[in-house]
Amino acid sequence: QLTQVQFMRKIFMFCLTGALALATTSCKDEKVTTMQTITVNGQICEVKSAFYVEEKADEQWETSYDLILFRPFTMSDYGVDIEVSESLIGKTIDLTEPVTQTGPLRPYLSVGAIGETEFDIVHSFERITVSNGDDISSATVSYGMLTVTRDGDNFSVKLSVKLSDGKSIFADWTGKATKVTIPE
């Protein structure tokens, strides 16, 4: 199951990159009132684009929202990808502990770094898996807290993650994300 999820995330990222390139070239100039940043492994960048995909519930998984925060579009993507189940929205989540199923469907939580030092932390089936690209890593989550709130297309993210191998992600972002629909 995890391999299939990772494969679907890769396909999603390729589709999203194309959508981002198109949106970046055709967007209107809008006044930006605050500068908000993400930090991955010590590299700080301003968030200029935010997209999300709503993943509908199926017979096993809850509805979730995959939120991607990007720096200004360049040839090398850089950003943070957070997928969080609807039941976890508005809660402060300790990323060192697996999320547990409290309803009839399983919750899903994934936090990832997009770019040169790509890695993912996936909470599924009440366990935590850290991967480095396509390979499972021996790293563990040393510290991690996440809070995501949502009101329509408006999201707020407070994220702090440190892995045992020294990698890290930090985000304190609030703003409107553009909904993207991926054809099935």
Side-chain angles (χ1 to χ4, degrees), residues 22-181:
L22 180 61
T24 302
T25 59
S26 64
C27 63
K28 302 175 199 168
D29 289 333
E30 293 184 19
K31 186 176 180 181
V32 177
T33 56
T34 59
M35 185 174 113
Q36 299 184 72
T37 61
I38 52 177
T39 305
V40 176
N41 298 324
Q43 183 180 0
I44 300 171
C45 285
E46 181 180 4
V47 175
K48 286 289 195 172
S49 302
F51 295 89
Y52 78 97
V53 174
E54 182 176 350
E55 302 284 343
K56 295 287 186 186
D58 61 20
E59 64 279 349
Q60 191 175 38
W61 299 97
E62 292 180 8
T63 295
S64 65
Y65 301 95
D66 193 357
L67 177 65
I68 300 97
L69 307 175
F70 279 108
R71 71 175 174 187
F73 184 71
T74 62
M75 293 307 288
S76 63
D77 293 335
Y78 177 88
V80 173
D81 182 0
I82 301 164
E83 186 172 356
V84 60
S85 285
E86 198 166 55
S87 69
L88 302 174
I89 298 282
K91 297 179 180 176
T92 299
I93 303 159
D94 179 353
L95 298 175
T96 65
E97 298 292 327
V99 295
T100 57
Q101 184 172 341
T102 57
L105 299 176
R106 288 188 168 114
Y108 185 80
L109 176 63
S110 172
V111 175
I114 303 165
E116 295 172 15
T117 55
E118 186 172 301
F119 65 90
D120 289 304
I121 305 160
V122 177
H123 290 241
S124 60
F125 297 104
E126 296 186 359
R127 70 174 188 252
I128 302 170
T129 305
V130 178
S131 63
N132 190 2
D134 293 331
D135 301 322
I136 300 298
S137 170
S138 61
T140 58
V141 180
S142 300
Y143 173 82
M145 296 301 280
L146 170 67
T147 305
V148 176
T149 61
R150 175 178 180 257
D151 181 13
D153 292 340
N154 296 303
F155 289 83
S156 178
V157 174
K158 295 201 182 298
L159 171 66
S160 179
V161 176
K162 291 184 181 182
L163 299 182
S164 60
D165 65 1
K167 293 179 180 168
S168 62
I169 306 175
F170 301 98
D172 190 353
W173 180 83
T174 300
K176 185 173 183 173
T178 302
K179 185 174 184 177
V180 176
T181 303

